[in-house]
Amino acid sequence: MRPVTRSGTAAVLSALVVGSWASSASAQETALAPQLAYSYGENETARSLAMAGATRAVGNGTTAIFSNPANMALTRLYHIEAIGQFTPEVTRAIGGGAIVDSITSSSRIAGGLALHGGIIDPDGLDRGFIDARAAAAYPVGERVFLGIGGRYLRMIQDGFGPLDDATASRYSAVSGGLVDAAGKRMPSVDTLTFDAGATIKITQTVHLGIAGQNLTHPGHGLLPTTIGAALGYGSKDITIEVDGVADLDSWNKATARLMAGGEYLAADHYPIRLGYRFDQGAGVHQISGGFGYIGQEIAAEVSVRRTLSTTINSTMIGIGLTYHLESSGLTRTRVSGEGASSEAAGGEGEK
């Protein structure tokens, strides 16, 4: 079987983007569901976005903070990543960064921090938010990894919902949120919650991952409680994973999202990624793809995810720029000789 080429992947991504623009021009769209506009609160790296979110078993490095914190301990690295996402249909724009360090702790604990801010639908509901996360992971022996992460979300809605009137002297608490004594909007979400996960190395290349998000069960779709399980294969050059997620809160009943993603590392430096997702709640299929460059010190990646629907048009574009601090010599590294592909290819860089 011939490997996917960079030019072939670029063609797939181009088709995704052009297809989204063409459908906007030629098809009559319906309003994007709030769950998709908010993307279920999933702030993803470019790698996770390209693999359709199938990263709970082998998604290490900065990706692990968002999908399964246990995976931060899979590889020994110190990565600093700038992350951006954009959904043009609702002008959802997110920017921020993440740091993962699994090198400098003498107790083998891996730690991660992430901070994002963004806007959603500035011409409508006009939501702005700050999402802060801190996570830690620990290897229990050679095959079991445990992780936990705290999350703080603060969201304010400055726009007007269907029961509000911009000319009215009072806002509707139901549609627009409460106001303080000065007449300013109070946060619609101001909440602390946590994630937890575990990863088991069945073999050196086959991993089983289990992760739960927002486990305090806030009980609403802005912080939906989800439980996911995944099975993944990761070698130096190839990663394949399948995930299943149960979402308890985003819709009026529990729904499932099924994801599959693959990655091929060409010439030790060029990750080529494809993914597929079925979203039961929205009733849509999505495809995704991405490519990038991973060097000894830096990595740059881009990805696109697109719905396959004539009525629900949603496009997500993700970018990532990563600096590998362990390659600079500024950190005390417990292991040596780790290749540039340690994060791109399923965490096998720790061998």
Side-chain angles (χ1 to χ4, degrees):
M1 181 176 178
R2 297 177 59 189
V4 181
T5 63
R6 277 179 283 163
S7 60
T9 303
V12 171
L13 291 174
S14 298
L16 287 171
V17 175
V18 172
S20 69
W21 291 339
S23 63
S24 298
S26 61
Q28 187 174 8
E29 299 182 19
T30 61
L32 190 60
Q35 294 87 344
L36 291 178
Y38 183 53
S39 190
Y40 301 103
E42 296 176 339
N43 298 334
E44 299 182 80
T45 62
R47 183 188 187 200
S48 175
L49 186 67
M51 294 179 65
T55 55
R56 287 166 180 80
V58 292
N60 59 327
T62 52
T63 296
I65 299 177
F66 308 103
S67 60
N68 182 354
N71 290 342
M72 292 189 301
L74 283 177
T75 46
R76 295 173 181 175
L77 47 79
Y78 198 138
H79 286 183
I80 303 171
E81 182 172 5
I83 301 169
Q85 285 186 26
F86 183 58
T87 300
E89 288 84 0
V90 289
T91 316
R92 174 180 180 263
I94 298 175
I99 301 173
V100 166
D101 173 16
S102 58
I103 289 178
T104 59
S105 172
S106 59
S107 59
R108 301 176 68 199
I109 295 176
L113 297 171
L115 178 64
H116 286 79
I119 59 171
I120 304 171
D121 192 18
D123 297 324
L125 295 178
D126 192 14
R127 287 175 174 167
F129 69 91
I130 295 174
D131 186 321
R133 309 187 191 209
Y138 184 75
V140 182
E142 297 297 322
R143 294 190 178 274
V144 179
F145 304 82
L146 302 177
I148 190 167
R151 180 182 184 184
Y152 169 68
L153 178 66
R154 179 182 174 89
M155 177 177 289
I156 295 177
Q157 178 178 308
D158 285 325
F160 294 94
L163 302 181
D164 271 332
D165 183 353
T167 63
S169 60
R170 296 178 61 87
Y171 294 126
S172 161
V174 175
S175 187
L178 300 174
V179 296
D180 59 21
K184 295 182 179 180
R185 293 285 179 93
M186 296 174 65
S188 54
V189 179
D190 193 7
T191 304
L192 281 168
T193 186
F194 75 96
D195 305 338
T199 299
I200 300 172
K201 277 189 173 183
I202 301 173
T203 68
Q204 279 297 106
T205 56
V206 179
H207 299 180
L208 173 67
I210 302 172
Q213 276 80 35
N214 307 316
L215 293 177
T216 58
H217 196 211
H220 54 75
L222 296 175
L223 279 172
T225 296
T226 64
I227 305 295
L231 186 65
Y233 168 87
S235 66
K236 181 178 180 297
D237 295 326
I238 297 175
T239 299
I240 301 172
E241 181 170 324
V242 177
D243 287 30
V245 174
D247 186 330
L248 306 183
D249 301 308
S250 292
W251 303 87
N252 58 6
K253 62 179 180 180
T255 58
R257 291 192 291 277
L258 303 177
M259 295 151 275
E263 177 180 68
Y264 173 68
L265 189 66
D268 285 334
H269 291 289
Y270 304 98
I272 300 168
R273 300 163 180 147
L274 294 172
Y276 163 80
R277 172 187 288 210
F278 172 68
D279 185 336
Q280 182 187 27
V284 296
H285 302 267
Q286 297 174 303
I287 59 171
S288 55
F291 62 91
Y293 167 79
I294 298 179
Q296 188 68 25
E297 295 186 0
I298 63 170
E301 301 160 291
V302 63
S303 57
V304 177
R305 183 184 298 161
R306 173 68 185 171
T307 55
L308 299 175
S309 173
T310 58
T311 57
I312 300 177
N313 294 302
S314 175
T315 309
M316 290 182 63
I317 302 169
I319 58 173
L321 181 63
T322 306
Y323 176 58
H324 306 151
L325 187 61
E326 74 275 11
S327 67
S328 68
L330 298 176
T331 61
R332 180 177 63 84
T333 306
R334 299 199 312 257
V335 294
S336 60
E338 294 186 14
S341 63
S342 60
E343 183 175 351
E348 296 308 304
E350 67 176 2
K351 289 183 177 178

